[in-house]
């Protein structure tokens, strides 16, 4: 049996899976967990692979530590989505940071706790989990209340649709402090450059610095994937204090060299992005 992820009817990637461990139709989406032959267990939402045990550390470390090591002194981080707990666990490695996480689907949290218990850090007292809509949460949050916002959402369909537009980012900008920054899932240059450019453009309407950074995700279609960092003040390659990146315990992917290298863009990407790239 294969788990196949089809993107826009032109690209397909597959993983050999041995059994389906669970399938739940929640209020918001269909959630499945498979056991794959070589990549460990795999979490799938509405047919899209969210994470698998073999390479989840790459995504989660890169989403969390790049902005944290760019910022001078982050204390409050908001995660939108992220119901598998992986990004929160990485943020919580920094002992002085408090995390608010807003995940819309209780079932994603429950299934992740049951099938991927080692990926989260659910009992950590510095994690404050709200089950609710991230769009409504940012509307109600106080201005200037967060240092970093991480948007770890599903693709722009269903409940995540409103996490990609101007209104959402206007609130993200508002609730960040004057030196705050946001990181969002930036999709793939190779598989969906139009969507990548759209997110760059929306974030660029508010933030002074907007830069994508890359990582490889072997279980995602096309393997080449990006996050997009929008920053009000700090520059992710000029202002990073490199030693901090190498002092975090237990990391398997991220380090100071990866940090710098991940911001280097190939020529075809620079050309495509043009003025959307604000550095
Ligand atoms: N790493 C994953 C990826 O990009 O493939 C995403 C991980 S996480 C499982 C994505 C989460 O975003 C899902 O659990 C989904 O329920 C949540 N989500 C989608 N829309 C949301 C919203 N409006 N507010 C809060 N969470 C949302």
């Amino acid at each position: 049996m294969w788990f196949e992820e089809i993107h826009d009817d032109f690209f397909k990637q597959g993983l050999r899976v041995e059994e389906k461990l669970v399938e739940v139709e929640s209020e918001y989406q269909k959630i499945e967990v498979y056991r794959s032959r070589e990549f460990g267990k795999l979490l799938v939402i509405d047919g899209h692979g969210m994470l698998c045990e073999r390479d989840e550390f790459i995504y989660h470390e890169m989403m969390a530590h790049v902005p944290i090591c760019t910022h001078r002194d982050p204390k409050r981080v908001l995660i939108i989505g992220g119901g598998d707990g992986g990004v929160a666990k990485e943020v919580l490695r920094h002992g002085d940071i408090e995390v608010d996480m807003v995940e819309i689907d209780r079932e994603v949290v429950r299934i992740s706790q049951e099938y991927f218990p080692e990926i989260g850090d659910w009992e950590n007292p510095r994690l404050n989990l709200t089950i609710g809509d991230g769009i409504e949460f940012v509307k109600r949050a106080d201005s200037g209340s967060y240092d970093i916002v991480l948007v770890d959402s599903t693709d722009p369909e269903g409940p995540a649709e409103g996490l990609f537009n101007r209104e959402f980012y206007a609130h993200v900008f508002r609730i960040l402090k004057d030196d705050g920054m946001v990181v969002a899932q930036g999709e793939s240059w190779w598989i969906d450059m139009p969507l990548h450019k759209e997110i760059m453009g929306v974030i660029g309407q508010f933030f002074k610095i907007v830069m994508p950074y890359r990582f490889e995700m072997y279980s995602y279609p096309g393997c080449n994937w990006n996050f997009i960092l929008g920053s009000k003040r700090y520059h992710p390659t000029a202002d990073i204090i490199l030693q901090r990146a190498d002092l975090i315990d237990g990391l398997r992917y991220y380090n100071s060299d990866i940090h710098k290298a991940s911001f280097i863009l190939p020529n075809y990407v620079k050309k495509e992005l043009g003025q959307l790239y604000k550095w």
Side-chain angles (χ1 to χ4, degrees):
M1 175 165 65
W2 288 85
F3 164 71
E4 291 182 331
E5 183 157 0
I6 298 170
H7 188 88
D8 275 358
D9 207 24
F10 78 93
F11 189 93
K12 184 162 86 170
Q13 179 163 309
L15 266 186
R16 170 74 75 188
V17 291
E18 313 218 292
E19 60 175 320
K20 187 188 282 199
L21 299 173
V22 69
E23 176 178 327
V24 170
E25 195 72 55
S26 77
E27 193 182 334
Y28 300 100
Q29 51 215 349
K30 183 162 111 179
I31 308 163
E32 298 160 281
V33 178
Y34 293 89
R35 186 188 307 284
S36 76
R37 197 168 80 185
E38 299 290 336
F39 276 42
K41 278 177 274 173
L42 171 70
L43 175 68
V44 177
I45 294 184
D46 283 345
H48 299 292
M50 293 287 115
L51 63 82
C52 74
E53 288 177 317
R54 177 119 173 235
D55 63 3
E56 57 81 22
F57 65 98
I58 303 177
Y59 181 104
H60 295 138
E61 289 184 19
M62 286 299 277
M63 182 167 236
H65 302 300
V66 169
I68 289 172
C69 290
T70 299
H71 196 287
R72 282 295 150 86
D73 190 23
K75 292 280 187 271
R76 286 195 77 200
V77 172
L78 171 65
I79 300 171
I80 306 285
D84 50 71
V87 171
K89 178 178 174 178
E90 292 304 324
V91 176
L92 291 163
R93 284 185 197 274
H94 301 263
D96 51 351
I97 296 184
E98 302 279 330
V99 178
D100 288 341
M101 182 167 128
V102 188
E103 162 60 56
I104 202 165
D105 195 340
R106 187 182 302 281
E107 280 298 292
V108 176
V109 174
R110 186 187 68 73
I111 287 172
S112 301
Q113 287 172 338
E114 183 172 345
Y115 290 92
F116 302 91
E118 65 297 331
I119 288 177
D121 185 8
W122 298 104
E123 300 305 320
N124 193 312
R126 289 180 288 113
L127 174 64
N128 174 28
L129 171 65
T130 301
I131 299 296
D133 186 350
I135 301 163
E136 293 305 314
F137 188 94
V138 298
K139 281 185 196 162
R140 288 195 309 270
D142 289 340
S143 300
S145 49
Y146 290 99
D147 298 300
I148 296 172
V149 175
L150 304 174
V151 187
D152 184 21
S153 74
T154 37
D155 287 345
E157 44 196 57
E161 212 173 322
L163 297 173
F164 289 77
N165 62 30
R166 189 185 148 80
E167 191 193 351
F168 174 72
Y169 276 99
H171 283 291
V172 168
F173 188 83
R174 179 185 62 74
I175 68 176
L176 282 167
K177 296 189 179 134
D178 291 344
D179 58 357
M181 62 187 74
V182 63
V183 169
Q185 225 256 69
E187 305 293 324
S188 164
W189 295 324
W190 208 242
I191 298 292
D192 204 340
M193 183 61 101
L195 181 54
H196 176 73
K197 286 168 73 173
E198 195 181 314
I199 306 167
M200 287 285 293
V202 172
I203 296 178
Q205 289 177 29
F206 301 97
F207 291 83
K208 190 173 81 174
I209 296 164
V210 183
M211 295 168 68
Y213 61 97
R214 63 192 292 172
F215 57 99
E216 65 272 10
M217 201 62 190
Y218 301 97
S219 59
Y220 282 9
C223 186
N224 170 286
W225 223 257
N226 306 281
F227 289 119
I228 297 172
L229 182 141
S231 177
K232 292 189 181 185
R233 183 183 299 167
Y234 302 119
H235 189 284
T237 54
D239 291 330
I240 174 181
I241 302 165
L242 289 173
Q243 292 86 339
R244 273 175 57 197
D246 292 325
L247 288 173
I248 309 162
D249 280 338
L251 301 189
R252 295 166 67 199
Y253 187 82
Y254 177 75
N255 58 44
S256 56
D257 292 329
I258 290 279
H259 183 114
K260 287 180 289 178
S262 66
F263 284 94
I264 294 172
L265 301 185
N267 287 348
Y268 80 90
V269 174
K270 282 189 182 169
K271 193 168 167 209
E272 275 280 346
L273 294 183
Q275 303 296 316
L276 296 172
Y277 181 53
K278 293 171 66 179
W279 62 292

